[in-house]
Each structure stands twice: as C-alpha cells, then as structure tokens.
Amino acid sequence: MSDIIQLLPDHVANQIAAGEVVQRPASVVKELLENAIDAKASQIKLIIKEAGKTLIQVIDNGIGMSETDARLSFERHATSKIKNAEDLFLLNTKGFRGEALASIAAIAHVELKTKKETAEVGTTIVIEGSEITAQEVVVTPKGTSIAVKNLFFNIPARRNFLKSNAVELRHIIDEFYRVALAHPNLGFVLFHNGSELYNLPQSNYRQRIVNLLGAKTNEKLVPVEETTEVVAISGFVGKPEYAKKTRGEQYFFVNDRFIKSAYLNHAIASAFQGLLKDGHHASYFLYLQVNPQSIDINIHPTKTEIKFDDEQTLYAILRSAVKHSLGQFNIAPVLDFERDANLDTPYLQTTTGKMPQVEIDRSFNPFSSDTPKTTLTNSGKSVSNSSFNASTSNSSYTKAPAASWESLYVGLESKGTKDAVDFNEMEFESAPETATIYNDVVKDERQYSTYQLKNKYIISTIKSGMLLIDQHRAHQRVLYEDFLKHITVKEAMSQQLLFPLELHFSVQDLEIIKQLQQDLEYTGFIFQDIKDETVQITGVPVSVPESEVSILLEQLISDVENEVPDSNFSVTDLIAKSLAKSLAIKNGKKLNPAEQEHLVNSLFACKEPNVSPTNKTTFITMSVDELDKKFV
Ligand code: ADP
Ligand code: MG
C-alpha cells in the first residue's frame, strides 16, 4: 500500500492556523496593536472601515523593520521575541509565537510599510493569501504601518459568519479599550469610517480611564493600592453607588496584559458584597504586577485566561486590598476596614507574633455600681440604622462614676503597658453625678463634659488637662471586649428574629461558618440550619441590627480567610475583633452629647481602653502644662 501522509502546503497550514488566531476583525486589531506596543511605539493609530471587514490598519512610530525582517515577519514561527524555550519564562512582550502576521496574511490582503529609524528608506510589501505580490523601496516615516483589507476574502464561510457591523465594531472597541487601558503612557487614536472615535493622549491610569469612559468617571473611582511579595496591585474600583447592571467595566491586567479571571472577579465581588444593589456589578480597573515566572504565560495568543502559581493567595490579597480601599474612602457605609496587617508581612512567612491574650474577668461586672441605671432611649434626632445606637439601645447602661472606673486600672501599669497613662489623673472634671442624661429634657450645657471634633474625635476635659478620643477605635474597643466577654462566659443575649434570615454562601464560605458556628452562637447568633449553601438564622446578638448580619458574616469570613494560614489564631478573638470592626461607629458620624459621653464612659469601663483591638491608640491626653508651653 502506498504512503498516504503528506505535508500540507504552507498556505493551507497558515489558513488553518489563522482559524485559531483570527476569529473576527477584533482579533486582528488585538494582534496588530500588540505588535506596535512590542515595537516600543509611543503613538499608535488604528484606522477601521466597515467594522474591520474592509480595512484594519495600525500605524505606529516604533522601531520598524529592516527589509529582511519585513519579509520574514510573515513567515510562520518567525519572531524576534524569543530565541529558546527558556525565554518563555522571562517574557515581557505580548507576542512570541510568530504566528499572527503569517495567519493574517493567509486570509486577507496585507500591505506593510516599515522603516527603521536609522534607515534612509523603508520597505513596502504586499501579500495576498500568503503570496507576496509586491515588494518595493518606499519613502515612509519611522515605524510600521500594516493595513489588513478584505478579511476572510478567501474563506467565504468565515466571512459570512461575521456579525453585523455594530457587533463587530463593538468587539473592536473592546479590544481597543483593553490595550489602551493597559498602556496609558502611549497615545492612541481610533478612526472608524473616517471619523475619529477616540483620541487618547499619553497620560496616567486615572486619566486614561476618564478619557475612555467620560469625565464623569473621575469621581466614581476609588484608588486601590497594595504591594506584597507576591503581587503589586494598583488601579481603581468604582464606587458602589455607580455600579451597573452590566459587567462592562471590569478589567484585570496582569503584567500589562488584559486577562479574564472568574476567580479573581469573585474576589472583587465578595469585597463588594453587601454594598451593591441586587444584580449590579462593581466596576474595576486593576493592574497586577507579578513575577513572570509565577504565571503560565504559554497560553494561546487569543485566549485571555492565565494560570497563576498561587491563585488563592492572590484572591485573598486582592479582596482585602479592595475592601481596604472601600473602607478607607468611607465608601462602605457599615464596614470600615482596617488595613490588613497580614499584608504588611510577606505572606509565606511564619509569624510567631504573640496572640493578644485578653483574659476575661468573669467576676467583673461594670453594671454592679450603685449608681442609678439609665435605660437608653434613642432620641428622635439620632440617625436610624446607626450601629452605635443599635449597639447601645438594647443594653441598660450604668454611667460609672469616675472613681469606679479608675479602680479598674489598679495594677495596669505594672503589666507593662507602654505609654501608660496615669489613670488617677484621668478624672473627669465635671462628671455628671446623676445619670439622667438621656432624658428628653435639654440639659444644662455645662453638664456635658465632651465635645465632638470633625465628627471623629471626642474631646473631654480631665483633671490634668485634655483628653482626645478617636471615636471609631474607642467604640471598637468597647464592642470587642463586650463580644469577648459574651463568647467567653457563653451567655450572650439573643434577639429573636420575627422571620428567619436566609443567607446564601459559597461552599467554601459555608465551611468557615460551620467552623465558627459554636463561637458565633456564644455571641448571640442562633443558627437554625446550615446546609446546601444556605444558612438560616433565627437569632442575632442584641447589638447587631438584622440588616447588617449578612455583611457582618461576609466580613468575618474574609477576616478568617485573610489570617496567616497556619498561625495559630484564636477564633474567639478573631470573631470579637471582626464583629467589633464591623459594628463600631464610623469616623464621620455625628454623635450627640449623650452618645459622646456614653462612649467615653464605656471606653474607660474597658480593661484595655488605651488601644483598639488592633493595637492602635484610642486616645491621647494633653496636660495643662503641655498646653501652657504652647502658649508661651
Ligand atoms: P510575534 O509578535 O509573536 O513575534 P507576529 O507574527 O505578530 O509574531 O510578528 C512577527 C514579527 O514581526 C515580530 O516578532 C516582530 O519582530 C515583527 N513585527 C511585527 N509587527 C511589528 C511592528 N509593528 N513593528 C516592528 N516589528 C514588527
Ligand atoms: Mg505579535
């Protein structure tokens, strides 16, 4: 029997390869733009006619090609970008397979004009269906112009498969966006049928986004910035209130390359959880820089998926970075995220940091004083849905007179608290003797010893001078000790819900909830059922408004996930910290005098009032002496 295997002629092989590389005009646009960038162009012009069906032309001012290179560039596997397989792992160019031009030339009429900077004249080559039909010397500026005409002229089936001009143009613009967003330092112009659609000057990331998406975008952007050993993240997320029903404005770039990643997208979505209306999607423009060796770059040229070595870590870092930004810019109405301390240290390091040892004095009862008790009633003025009100309105609270809270600190200094404040000095100058401060009766001004500054600090006078409290941190401390106490003594008050709350979680998240279930129940949560990605809650801690349960648990899950994986953290402490962080009153929240005083007193009824649960200073004092010195 005779042999039957034969080598396909080049032009047929090229056509087959072209099927993979070139699906539609937009694929050509992508390849040509990327080549121009690889050629170090600073100005790139894209000219389109009939949605790319009749013309796609890219003109750049890059390094150009010599006459020989110009011819070679259309050969399959002809590339200037890698020489051997190892180069693949160090790649920082877009292309490397040497397939694009060969493929495009197999299925279209291509006209190339190119000149290197130092050359006197340039080269022009005309190719039709892989056949060079002309090559000449031309006068042309530095750089390269490639015009691709009549795409799929020799494959009618493919041509007929193209969608309407509107659809194909949309695809082209999508590609243009991806490339332009990844390279704001380059100028881009896009013409369609003779009219200029975009003219993007060289700029920075923010301006590029604004130039593409419109001036109004500027105010919608919240910067995201995070650098760790694994990844450097920069870019922006859109404020939740501007979220759209379409997923349009979602961009990840890894090492300046647009990628799609459902997994990382989920990280962002979960950072936004609770902040978006149903069916709305957060927009984001996030730029990740990773070591090229930590990603699998050997992906198909038209594919945008990417494989990371350590996707889970990336997920955690990304989610945390976005949450942090949303919190820092006061976007998150409820959650104010502390910077995740874990991200300051290299991820893989095994921390041997001392876990905070908060020990609960079970006999301690801040309410045991003889002073009359006051039941808080929310005055009509107080803002509803305030976590502060929510967390206080259900508890009867005793306003401990100065002397009694002072006694709580006996021996504190001997424990080696740094920057220890002399608590004996911290006697309120005019601590109100009675605790009728929540009466509707307007109190005499001088009975309040506090003043709120910038809706952020509470100023009070003490015997030695002045006390300045950070309201958010102070409240975190108060809530933290409260939760710890409840978890430790295992007797929290629950507030029964009228209707069970049904929350949905991913399988992974559900596992975490199960792990925390017991401790959460000690804080006052009542779980009726945890199964099939659904959690049914019938009771919540008295301090937790029902509307915030979902976001609270979401934050908790994220906090657990962001823990250094094998550090031996205490779940109890973590829960208390997370809930406190979520529920604490925010900076920017106006507090009425009664609330201010209540907070001050609660803080000093804490065991460790001088630091927040994350070890940040909650208050400072300034003595009259120090003040006097400032007035000399
Ligand atoms: P790849 O980009 O994978 O190397 P291409 O087929 O896209 O393969 O291009 C082949 C080669 O042609 C490139 O490696 C490059 O040397 C050259 N080339 C293509 N486009 C340009 C351009 N705009 N300017 C300069 N050189 C180019
Ligand atoms: Mg290329």
Side-chain angles (χ1 to χ4, degrees):
M1 208 202 262
S2 62
D3 300 332
I4 52 168
I5 296 180
Q6 46 179 299
L7 286 173
L8 290 174
D10 267 359
H11 72 274
V12 179
N14 281 341
Q15 271 194 22
I16 294 169
E20 286 182 37
V21 181
V22 185
Q23 277 116 28
R24 53 175 13 125
S27 333
V28 175
V29 168
K30 173 175 188 277
E31 295 297 335
L32 297 185
L33 289 178
E34 290 187 347
N35 279 348
I37 291 165
D38 282 346
K40 302 188 171 54
S42 62
Q43 284 296 336
I44 299 171
K45 196 188 244 182
L46 172 60
I47 300 166
I48 302 293
K49 284 197 177 131
E50 312 262 351
K53 291 172 186 172
T54 51
L55 175 73
I56 301 160
Q57 183 175 16
V58 171
I59 304 169
D60 69 56
N61 64 350
I63 58 173
M65 284 179 266
S66 68
E67 189 189 330
T68 317
D69 282 351
R71 271 186 95 96
L72 269 178
S73 68
F74 291 100
E75 297 286 331
R76 213 134 71 92
H77 306 305
T79 178
S80 56
K81 297 166 193 173
I82 56 168
K83 292 201 169 58
N84 49 50
E86 278 88 72
D87 290 351
L88 271 179
F89 298 98
L90 305 166
L91 215 60
N92 49 21
T93 55
K94 311 265 171 208
F96 57 88
R97 293 172 161 243
E99 264 179 339
L101 289 188
S103 299
I104 293 166
I107 49 161
H109 298 149
V110 178
E111 223 177 282
L112 165 80
K113 277 186 192 155
T114 186
K115 185 180 95 71
K116 287 174 87 79
E117 184 159 30
T118 49
E120 296 268 306
V121 286
T123 308
T124 175
I125 290 179
V126 181
I127 301 187
E128 288 178 5
S130 297
E131 300 269 315
I132 296 191
T133 57
Q135 173 167 355
E136 281 161 34
V137 167
V138 284
V139 175
T140 178
K142 171 209 168 190
T144 304
S145 155
I146 299 184
V148 176
K149 296 178 186 166
N150 310 322
L151 191 65
F152 298 132
F153 79 98
N154 51 359
I155 317 180
R158 298 294 297 272
R159 202 173 165 86
N160 294 339
F161 255 110
L162 292 178
K163 299 271 161 44
S164 70
N165 283 5
V167 172
E168 295 301 339
L169 183 65
R170 189 64 248 163
H171 284 288
I172 289 174
I173 291 176
D174 282 349
E175 287 299 345
F176 180 76
Y177 266 50
R178 294 167 180 182
V179 174
L181 284 170
H183 299 278
N185 56 326
L186 311 180
F188 289 91
V189 184
L190 168 55
F191 280 96
H192 184 239
N193 291 342
S195 54
E196 186 182 279
L197 297 189
Y198 294 94
N199 189 341
L200 310 170
Q202 299 179 330
S203 58
N204 59 27
Y205 286 109
R206 185 186 270 271
Q207 283 167 354
R208 176 55 48 93
I209 295 168
V210 170
N211 284 336
L212 275 170
L213 298 167
K216 280 206 185 120
T217 316
N218 198 23
E219 70 200 57
K220 304 179 187 172
L221 300 176
V222 183
V224 179
E225 213 60 69
E226 185 69 75
T227 306
T228 69
E229 276 206 338
V230 186
V231 62
I233 302 167
S234 64
F236 304 89
V237 290
K239 292 183 185 166
E241 65 263 39
Y242 297 111
K244 293 186 173 167
K245 286 214 156 179
T246 60
R247 291 179 179 274
E249 296 169 5
Q250 302 189 324
Y251 297 90
F252 278 122
F253 300 91
V254 174
N255 297 355
D256 301 332
R257 192 191 285 263
F258 170 81
I259 62 133
K260 279 184 195 154
S261 166
Y263 187 65
L264 296 187
N265 176 63
H266 187 270
I268 310 295
S270 78
F272 271 87
Q273 185 128 41
L275 300 176
L276 298 176
K277 278 183 258 159
D278 259 4
H280 284 61
H281 301 281
S283 52
Y284 53 83
F285 308 85
L286 293 168
Y287 300 86
L288 282 58
Q289 293 291 335
V290 300
N291 182 340
Q293 297 188 27
S294 74
I295 49 179
D296 183 1
I297 196 69
N298 198 5
I299 43 169
H300 192 274
T302 61
K303 294 230 173 92
T304 43
E305 283 86 19
I306 197 166
K307 249 180 79 64
F308 297 98
D309 278 357
D310 191 355
E311 236 180 11
Q312 282 180 356
T313 304
L314 211 56
Y315 182 101
I317 297 174
L318 200 58
R319 169 151 124 164
S320 166
V322 171
K323 276 193 166 179
H324 174 63
S325 291
L326 291 173
Q328 196 182 37
F329 290 86
N330 268 332
I331 308 304
V334 179
L335 302 182
D336 185 13
F337 302 95
E338 295 288 344
R339 187 177 185 347
D340 189 337
N342 297 326
L343 301 181
D344 290 339
T345 51
Y347 235 70
L348 307 169
Q349 163 189 324
T350 44
T351 29
T352 45
K354 187 171 149 282
M355 285 316 293
Q357 297 288 313
V358 177
E359 147 224 331
I360 294 301
D361 174 2
R362 291 180 191 217
S363 60
F364 164 60
N365 180 358
F367 309 128
S368 68
S369 122
D370 292 336
T371 12
K373 294 189 173 188
T374 22
T375 304
L376 303 189
T377 49
N378 289 338
S379 70
K381 271 189 293 178
S382 25
V383 183
S384 62
N385 189 27
S386 127
S387 7
F388 181 53
N389 290 339
S391 60
T392 53
S393 57
N394 296 299
S395 56
S396 75
Y397 174 71
T398 309
K399 212 175 158 312
S404 76
W405 55 255
E406 265 172 36
S407 67
L408 294 169
Y409 296 99
V410 176
L412 188 76
E413 277 162 274
S414 61
K415 276 189 202 157
T417 318
K418 50 181 168 96
D419 305 324
V421 180
D422 182 357
F423 286 99
N424 294 323
E425 291 251 290
M426 291 206 29
E427 196 178 316
F428 287 102
E429 209 162 41
S430 58
E433 336 65 89
T434 54
T436 53
I437 52 174
Y438 295 100
N439 284 354
D440 285 337
V441 187
V442 179
K443 276 184 59 168
D444 185 345
E445 277 276 288
R446 79 193 148 75
Q447 277 184 276
Y448 291 117
S449 54
T450 56
Y451 172 81
Q452 193 186 22
L453 181 71
K454 293 267 176 206
N455 294 339
K456 185 173 181 191
Y457 297 107
I458 296 167
I459 301 176
S460 184
T461 48
I462 47 174
K463 233 183 193 169
S464 65
M466 189 176 96
L467 172 71
L468 197 67
I469 297 175
D470 179 310
Q471 66 184 41
H472 175 60
R473 292 182 186 176
H475 198 214
Q476 271 194 45
R477 164 55 62 183
V478 173
L479 293 173
Y480 170 68
E481 292 200 8
D482 225 41
F483 281 120
L484 264 191
K485 192 174 73 207
H486 286 144
I487 301 176
T488 322
V489 301
K490 307 190 166 132
E491 49 177 37
M493 297 264 288
S494 274
Q495 143 197 351
Q496 293 279 331
L497 299 178
L498 213 48
F499 302 102
L501 197 61
E502 219 175 77
L503 300 175
H504 301 279
F505 292 96
S506 70
V507 180
Q508 276 167 304
D509 289 356
L510 213 65
E511 279 313 302
I512 296 178
I513 300 254
K514 280 185 194 158
Q515 279 172 30
L516 305 178
Q517 182 176 0
Q518 177 95 89
D519 281 307
L520 282 171
E521 284 176 348
Y522 294 142
T523 69
F525 280 99
I526 302 172
F527 294 97
Q528 194 176 49
D529 224 354
I530 303 187
K531 64 158 197 272
D532 300 336
E533 309 192 9
T534 308
V535 174
Q536 267 201 359
I537 298 173
T538 50
V540 295
V542 283
S543 54
V544 176
E546 187 179 340
S547 58
E548 284 170 25
V549 172
S550 158
I551 196 161
L552 208 81
L553 292 178
E554 196 56 48
Q555 173 63 25
L556 182 62
I557 290 166
S558 141
D559 285 346
V560 172
E561 282 178 341
N562 288 330
E563 271 298 315
V564 179
D566 46 16
S567 80
N568 118 59
F569 67 91
S570 122
V571 176
T572 318
D573 189 67
L574 191 102
I575 292 178
K577 262 190 197 149
S578 179
L579 297 187
K581 185 167 72 175
S582 297
L583 290 166
I585 44 161
K586 302 292 164 296
N587 289 334
K589 165 119 177 73
K590 193 167 171 51
L591 301 179
N592 64 37
E595 288 171 326
Q596 293 167 28
E597 272 201 1
H598 177 54
L599 179 59
V600 175
N601 288 317
S602 308
L603 176 66
F604 291 105
C606 284
K607 292 196 116 196
E608 271 188 74
N610 44 337
V611 285
S612 76
T614 45
N615 258 331
K616 291 184 180 141
T617 309
T618 46
F619 66 87
I620 53 166
T621 56
M622 202 179 262
S623 67
V624 178
D625 285 353
E626 284 171 81
L627 286 170
D628 285 348
K629 277 189 203 130
K630 293 198 185 292
F631 287 100
V632 285

